[in-house]
Amino acid sequence: MLGQANIHSFVDHHKLSLKLKPILVGELHLAKKLNKPAYIFRGGLFIPIIHEGSVPTRDIINTLIRNSFHEVFVFDEDLSEIKKNLESALIKITRSLSVGDPVDNGTKDLKLLSLNLGGLYRNPHNDDLLMLQFQSSQNLSKFLMENRKLQPHFYESLQKENFHFTLAQPMLSSLMLLSFLQSIHLFHDKEVENLFLASYLKDIGISMIPDSKYDQKTLSDRDKEMFASHADYSFDLLEGRVPLSKNYLTIVKNHHFLNSRIKDLALKRRTPKEADTIVGLESTLVAVFDIIVAMTSIRPFRKERSLYQTLEVVKMIMADDYPQEFKALVVFLKQFYRN
Ligand SMILES: [Fe+2]
C-alpha cells in the first residue's frame, strides 16, 4: 500500500476528482492489474492507496475493509475492466453452479452476486444489470434448495466478507428466509423461489438514497422519510422489468410494514386497530427475516443484538398472528446458528 502521498495542488486535486469513479472495496478482487493508481477519499483529499501496474492483494483489501473504507476510487479504464470481469465471473459461475465443488461454487456466487448488486444500486435503470441479477439469483435459489445442508455455511461465508450492510443484508436475509421456508414444507419450490427473489430485490430502492446517509448516526426527519420510501422506490424500479407477479411486488412494497409495530413497542404504544390488520404469512416472513438479520448484525451506528433479544422482539410482532410459525422459527434459528 502507498504512503500518505496526498495531492497538494488544489487544481490537480480537482482534475483528479473529475476522472475518478467509486467502486466497492470488494470489487478490487476482480482487478487483475490496475492500469492507474487507486485512491481512498479521506479528509477531503484523494489519497493514493495502490500503485499503478500492481495487483490489489487480499491483504490490502482486508485492511481497507477493517478500516471502514467501503469505497475506493479508480480511473475509468480500470472501472470498466473491473465491471467487465465481475459480470463475466458472475455469468460463468451462474452457468456452472452444479459443476464441481458446491461449497466453492455457492460461496463464490454469493460473493459475486452481492458485489454486482452494488453496481445495480449505482445504475438501477440498467436493464441488463437487473436481468443479470434476477437470473443469477433465480439460479442460485434452485442451487440453494438442492444444497440444504450447506445453507448455514453459505450464510457464514458471506457474513465473513464484511461487505457493507447494504450489500450483505439482501442476500443474508433471503438465504435465511429460503432455508426456513424449505424447513416448514408449506410452500411449493416455485413459491419459495419467488419469495427468495422478492426478498433479495426488495432493497434496490436504496439506490435513490445518497451513500453518505447509510452510516450516519443521526438522521433528520427528511432523511428518515427518504429511507422509509425505499420500499416504494424498489417497487417502482421492479414493476414491469422483472418477471415477478403483482403479489410478490406487493411484498417488496410492504417489506417494512412490521417496523411501525416495533416502534410502537419501543414507545410502549398500542398499535391502532386498523394498522393491526393481518398481512399475509409470506409478507410477514420476508419482513421478519429482514429484521432478524438486521438486528443480529452490527451497524456503523449500533451494536448487534443477541439472537435471544431479537426473538423477543419478533415474538411480540408475529406470535399473536402466527403462533405455529413463530414456534417453528425458534426451532429453525437454533438449528441454523448451530450448524
Ligand atoms: Fe428494506
Side-chain angles (χ1 to χ4, degrees):
M1 224 183 288
L2 289 183
Q4 304 291 300
N6 297 349
I7 292 90
H8 287 296
S9 150
F10 175 77
V11 177
D12 283 351
H13 193 260
H14 182 65
K15 277 190 204 154
L16 190 63
S17 72
L18 293 174
K19 289 177 192 160
L20 293 175
K21 299 278 162 37
I23 61 161
L24 299 159
V25 170
E27 287 180 283
L28 282 173
H29 284 298
L30 279 305
K32 286 171 188 145
K33 194 177 83 174
L34 289 171
N35 298 301
K36 298 269 177 69
Y39 298 79
I40 52 171
F41 189 68
R42 192 168 58 186
L45 284 175
F46 287 105
I47 301 166
I49 203 88
I50 303 169
H51 286 288
E52 65 178 88
S54 60
V55 183
T57 62
R58 184 165 276 278
D59 273 356
I60 292 178
I61 298 169
N62 287 344
T63 308
L64 287 167
I65 291 174
R66 265 201 311 277
N67 288 293
S68 300
F69 286 104
H70 298 294
E71 278 188 333
V72 286
F73 294 81
V74 294
F75 284 87
D76 254 335
E77 55 189 287
D78 285 321
L79 174 80
S80 37
E81 207 167 306
I82 289 168
K83 294 285 165 205
K84 212 168 66 199
N85 291 345
L86 175 56
E87 281 179 30
S88 50
L90 181 55
I91 291 168
K92 194 172 159 202
I93 193 75
T94 298
R95 285 181 184 158
S96 57
L97 257 184
S98 333
V99 185
D101 182 4
V103 178
D104 288 350
N105 289 350
T107 306
K108 193 171 175 190
D109 196 24
L110 288 171
K111 184 176 151 183
L112 292 174
L113 251 171
S114 300
L115 283 174
N116 187 255
L117 184 64
L120 188 61
Y121 287 160
R122 274 188 234 112
N123 293 297
H125 299 288
N126 182 323
D127 287 332
D128 292 339
L129 208 46
L130 181 60
M131 279 326 284
L132 176 60
Q133 277 287 317
F134 187 86
Q135 284 163 356
S136 303
S137 45
Q138 193 172 34
N139 261 29
L140 177 67
S141 71
K142 292 185 177 88
F143 170 83
L144 290 172
M145 280 191 263
E146 284 160 14
N147 290 280
R148 284 187 69 174
K149 284 196 180 141
L150 295 177
Q151 290 160 358
H153 169 82
F154 291 143
Y155 184 93
E156 209 191 327
S157 72
L158 182 60
Q159 219 176 19
K160 278 189 185 154
E161 290 292 335
N162 278 321
F163 287 157
H164 191 262
F165 68 90
T166 50
L167 296 184
Q169 169 87 14
M171 182 54 80
L172 291 175
S173 58
S174 310
L175 168 54
M176 208 188 252
L177 169 77
L178 176 142
S179 192
F180 176 69
L181 293 174
Q182 248 191 319
S183 76
I184 56 173
H185 304 291
L186 275 181
F187 300 90
H188 298 300
D189 284 0
K190 191 67 195 168
E191 290 172 301
V192 175
E193 180 187 307
N194 284 334
L195 285 167
F196 175 83
L197 289 165
S199 168
Y200 178 63
L201 295 169
K202 67 187 180 301
D203 283 320
I204 74 162
I206 61 169
S207 53
M208 301 297 171
I209 299 169
D211 287 358
S212 58
K213 301 283 178 197
Y214 300 133
D215 302 332
Q216 273 177 218
K217 285 199 170 102
T218 48
L219 293 170
S220 66
D221 286 347
R222 213 171 142 205
D223 290 341
K224 282 181 194 160
E225 250 174 60
M226 186 167 60
F227 270 93
S229 308
H230 81 269
D232 290 326
Y233 293 143
S234 296
F235 178 90
D236 294 342
L237 283 167
L238 294 173
E239 194 184 22
R241 294 177 68 213
V242 291
L244 275 179
S245 73
K246 192 78 185 242
N247 184 26
Y248 294 102
L249 293 177
T250 307
I251 291 174
V252 169
K253 201 179 177 85
N254 291 332
H255 79 267
H256 283 294
F257 81 98
L258 287 174
N259 290 29
S260 58
R261 286 195 202 176
I262 295 178
K263 266 184 218 144
D264 289 341
L265 284 170
L267 297 168
K268 301 206 176 345
R269 229 168 35 193
R270 269 203 57 75
T271 308
K273 262 274 168 275
E274 63 273 18
D276 221 14
T277 23
I278 299 175
V279 182
L281 175 62
E282 292 96 326
S283 291
T284 302
L285 292 176
V286 169
V288 157
F289 279 95
D290 200 31
I291 290 167
I292 292 170
V293 173
M295 284 186 70
T296 53
S297 310
I298 194 162
R299 292 285 184 266
F301 41 85
R302 63 152 172 79
K303 284 184 183 165
E304 72 269 41
R305 316 279 163 78
S306 68
L307 183 58
Y308 179 78
Q309 289 171 315
T310 305
L311 280 173
E312 284 288 296
V313 173
V314 172
K315 186 182 179 185
M316 287 190 273
I317 54 177
M318 174 189 178
D320 284 351
D321 294 338
Y322 299 107
Q324 292 307 323
E325 286 75 11
F326 177 72
K327 273 185 207 155
L329 178 70
V330 175
V331 174
F332 164 81
L333 285 173
K334 281 183 183 157
Q335 186 74 24
F336 192 88
Y337 279 105
R338 197 168 58 213
N339 281 331

